[in-house]
Amino acid sequence: MPITTPAALERLKLDKGIESYERKTIDVELEVIKDSEVMSEFINAVVPSTEAELWLKKQQLIQRQKPTVAGILLFADEPQAIFPKHCGVKIYRYKTKESEGTRDTLDFSPITIEGCLYKQVQKAVTTTIEIIEKIPIIGNQGLENIQYPKETIHEIVTNALLHRDYSIARDTHICIFDNRIEIENPGKLPGHVTVKNILKEQYARNGAIVRIINKFPNPPNKDVGEGLNTAFQAMAKLRLQPPDIKETENSVIVYIKHEPLASTEVQIMSYLEKDKEITNKIARKETGIRSEATINQAFSRLRDKGLIEAVPKRGKRNAAWRRVGTIDEDSENAISSYEIYSEYQQLIMDYLEEHEEITNRIGRELLKIDSGQSMKNIFYRLQKKKLIELVPGKSRITAVWRKVKSPPT
């Protein structure tokens, strides 16, 4: 839509990061930040040899003898008294799994978290975790408390409060449902950041806030732009679905759902529904599993079930897998599931041309498969074709197979 008013142009500049609201000065007394309890604690802990006002000016948190928005958020004891509705946090607990909470499902009155940004982040995180840990679910041992990774809660709440658009007169809302957490922040994603590239791109709407809060003792952020990635990895470690990020017309919402991930094999096959092939590296990224060996084991299980096959003409370092029967555009020799089993059966019969007997273990070593059941299935197919038979006198546990003996002439 065309920009027709100065206010709309200002809004666009803030959304795109051309201007930063945190640098604006506010017409309040300097004492609000330079003589605050927060400032005194910070100076004593971090820069004890410096005077507060001098340090604040060096950090550009005082300009033209007025405190900036960033200075007030970081060092005023009660920023909310200066910016009503611009910098509070509201926490709600809804006892429902429905898409929206209602007054009837509200467990208690919303909790308001205020104070300087450093203490506000800490209090918002700890309060959210305390409420979550009281939510009961039915588990393997009966009634259990729900579990979310604390790293995920910490990183997403921290990210919300450090990067929100403080020019908008609306609080950050944390809604805790029986099966999910919703964290809604006023404002759109800043600059060139989108929902699709948010884990790869770095852009700080509030650069001064992000930099200076990192100077506090035990800072809530690491100042390396990895917070959201840490949140996603923590969910994967607990085998939970990754957070879901949505951008609306005037807010960003992160959904943290308590939903288990599908099995590794299902995730691999789901990926191969939309992409032609998958590597170990891609599978680890998709599943959140860091171990190459664990992914290789999953590939082997799927191969043994006849569901995937190695992509031909790939070296060990760039090995990839595809669904069985995938058409190879560079080759006329596409292999189907039936042909794979035929190839396996032929290898068994070739082995029995030179050896009298074969066991399940020898067959698995010969065909390079891990599954004993898959090996049995191949033996059963050959038996059904009357090409092999069980050696008499052997138990099923130590079963041995041989070629069907031709009847005497």
Side-chain angles (χ1 to χ4, degrees), residues 40-54:
S40 177
E41 291 173 355
F42 178 85
I43 290 292
N44 290 334
V46 181
V47 280
S49 60
T50 304
E51 291 184 7
E53 186 172 345
L54 178 61

Side-chain angles (χ1 to χ4, degrees), residues 266-312:
V266 169
Q267 289 179 274
I268 290 170
M269 295 308 296
S270 295
Y271 182 88
L272 289 173
E273 289 285 348
K274 59 183 187 296
D275 287 271
K276 188 175 179 181
E277 58 186 51
I278 188 169
T279 63
N280 191 295
K281 182 178 180 180
I282 292 172
R284 281 183 278 127
K285 181 179 178 182
E286 289 292 310
T287 61
I289 294 172
R290 295 188 176 185
S291 167
E292 290 186 34
T294 300
I295 294 298
N296 282 334
Q297 289 166 6
F299 285 150
S300 295
R301 289 191 293 270
L302 290 169
R303 177 199 61 199
D304 295 347
K305 293 175 182 176
L307 295 174
I308 66 172
E309 62 190 5
V311 176

Side-chain angles (χ1 to χ4, degrees), residues 244-346:
D244 187 20
I245 303 172
K246 304 285 187 186
E247 186 176 34
T248 71
E249 187 176 344
N250 51 23
S251 69
V252 176
I253 308 174
V254 181
Y255 300 88
I256 309 172
K257 301 175 184 177
H258 199 273
E259 294 179 4
L261 284 170
S263 69
T264 305
E265 287 91 336
V266 169
Q267 289 179 274
I268 290 170
M269 295 308 296
S270 295
Y271 182 88
L272 289 173
E273 289 285 348
K274 59 183 187 296
D275 287 271
K276 188 175 179 181
E277 58 186 51
I278 188 169
T279 63
N280 191 295
K281 182 178 180 180
I282 292 172
R284 281 183 278 127
K285 181 179 178 182
E286 289 292 310
T287 61
I289 294 172
R290 295 188 176 185
S291 167
E292 290 186 34
T294 300
I295 294 298
N296 282 334
Q297 289 166 6
F299 285 150
S300 295
R301 289 191 293 270
L302 290 169
R303 177 199 61 199
D304 295 347
K305 293 175 182 176
L307 295 174
I308 66 172
E309 62 190 5
V311 176
K313 300 178 182 178
R314 295 289 182 91
K316 190 173 182 180
R317 294 185 65 180
N318 63 342
W321 295 82
R322 65 186 185 186
R323 295 173 71 90
V324 164
T326 301
I327 300 300
D328 188 344
E329 296 174 356
D330 300 321
S331 170
E332 297 179 357
N333 300 318
I335 303 172
S336 69
S337 172
Y338 175 77
E339 288 168 331
I340 277 186
Y341 279 120
S342 296
E343 180 184 336
Y344 282 176
Q345 292 166 21
Q346 187 59 55

Side-chain angles (χ1 to χ4, degrees), residues 10 54 79 110 116 140 145 147 159 163 180 208 230 263-264 294 300 351 353 399 409:
E10 179 73 9
L54 178 61
C116 74
N140 295 330
N145 290 334
Q147 280 194 325
N159 193 77
H163 297 288
R180 69 190 185 279
T230 299
S263 69
T264 305
T294 300
S300 295
Y351 179 89
E353 286 293 331
T409 56

Side-chain angles (χ1 to χ4, degrees), residues 74 117-118 162 208-216 219-221:
L74 288 164
L117 193 52
Y118 175 68
L162 297 193
I209 288 174
V210 171
R211 183 179 69 85
I212 292 172
I213 204 169
N214 186 250
K215 298 179 184 295
F216 279 72
N221 63 329

Side-chain angles (χ1 to χ4, degrees), residues 85-344:
K85 304 301 293 182
H86 279 258
C87 53
V89 176
K90 296 282 189 182
I91 301 179
Y92 307 79
R93 167 70 178 109
Y94 293 106
K95 299 183 76 172
T96 181
K97 295 181 181 179
E98 297 296 325
S99 59
E100 293 185 6
T102 64
R103 182 182 295 273
D104 290 338
T105 58
L106 191 62
D107 193 22
F108 45 76
S109 297
I111 297 172
T112 301
I113 308 294
E114 296 186 341
C116 74
L117 193 52
Y118 175 68
K119 294 180 180 179
Q120 189 182 43
V121 170
Q122 291 179 329
K123 185 65 175 175
V125 171
T126 56
T127 302
T128 301
I129 291 173
E130 286 171 1
I131 295 171
I132 289 167
E133 289 180 341
K134 295 176 182 176
I135 299 175
I137 58 171
I138 302 298
N140 295 330
Q141 307 299 321
L143 205 59
E144 301 173 358
N145 290 334
I146 202 167
Q147 280 194 325
Y148 287 91
K150 292 181 180 179
E151 302 100 305
T152 297
I153 307 302
H154 173 89
E155 295 297 346
I156 291 179
V157 171
T158 298
N159 193 77
L161 296 183
L162 297 193
H163 297 288
R164 64 154 288 175
D165 187 340
Y166 283 100
S167 70
I168 297 176
R170 203 161 87 240
D171 292 329
T172 295
H173 295 275
I174 302 174
C175 299
I176 302 168
F177 293 80
D178 287 347
N179 61 343
R180 69 190 185 279
I181 306 162
E182 297 179 6
I183 300 172
E184 183 174 13
N185 232 17
K188 299 176 74 67
L189 291 169
H192 59 279
V193 177
T194 66
V195 169
K196 290 185 177 180
N197 68 18
I198 194 168
L199 294 181
K200 297 178 182 178
E201 296 294 330
Q202 296 183 19
Y203 187 95
R205 171 187 273 123
N206 305 312
I209 288 174
V210 171
R211 183 179 69 85
I212 292 172
I213 204 169
N214 186 250
K215 298 179 184 295
F216 279 72
N218 189 25
N221 63 329
K222 302 300 181 186
D223 198 26
V224 292
E226 294 298 324
L228 279 182
N229 287 285
T230 299
F232 275 66
Q233 291 164 7
M235 292 292 280
K237 284 180 184 177
L238 277 190
R239 310 299 299 148
L240 293 172
Q241 294 283 353
D244 187 20
I245 303 172
K246 304 285 187 186
E247 186 176 34
T248 71
E249 187 176 344
N250 51 23
S251 69
V252 176
I253 308 174
V254 181
Y255 300 88
I256 309 172
K257 301 175 184 177
H258 199 273
E259 294 179 4
L261 284 170
S263 69
T264 305
E265 287 91 336
V266 169
Q267 289 179 274
I268 290 170
M269 295 308 296
S270 295
Y271 182 88
L272 289 173
E273 289 285 348
K274 59 183 187 296
D275 287 271
K276 188 175 179 181
E277 58 186 51
I278 188 169
T279 63
N280 191 295
K281 182 178 180 180
I282 292 172
R284 281 183 278 127
K285 181 179 178 182
E286 289 292 310
T287 61
I289 294 172
R290 295 188 176 185
S291 167
E292 290 186 34
T294 300
I295 294 298
N296 282 334
Q297 289 166 6
F299 285 150
S300 295
R301 289 191 293 270
L302 290 169
R303 177 199 61 199
D304 295 347
K305 293 175 182 176
L307 295 174
I308 66 172
E309 62 190 5
V311 176
K313 300 178 182 178
R314 295 289 182 91
K316 190 173 182 180
R317 294 185 65 180
N318 63 342
W321 295 82
R322 65 186 185 186
R323 295 173 71 90
V324 164
T326 301
I327 300 300
D328 188 344
E329 296 174 356
D330 300 321
S331 170
E332 297 179 357
N333 300 318
I335 303 172
S336 69
S337 172
Y338 175 77
E339 288 168 331
I340 277 186
Y341 279 120
S342 296
E343 180 184 336
Y344 282 176

Side-chain angles (χ1 to χ4, degrees), residues 356-373:
E356 288 188 2
E357 300 172 345
I358 187 170
T359 63
N360 191 295
R361 180 182 62 80
I362 293 172
R364 283 183 280 123
E365 291 175 355
L366 178 68
L367 304 182
K368 295 181 171 58
I369 64 177
D370 298 323
S371 170
Q373 185 59 52

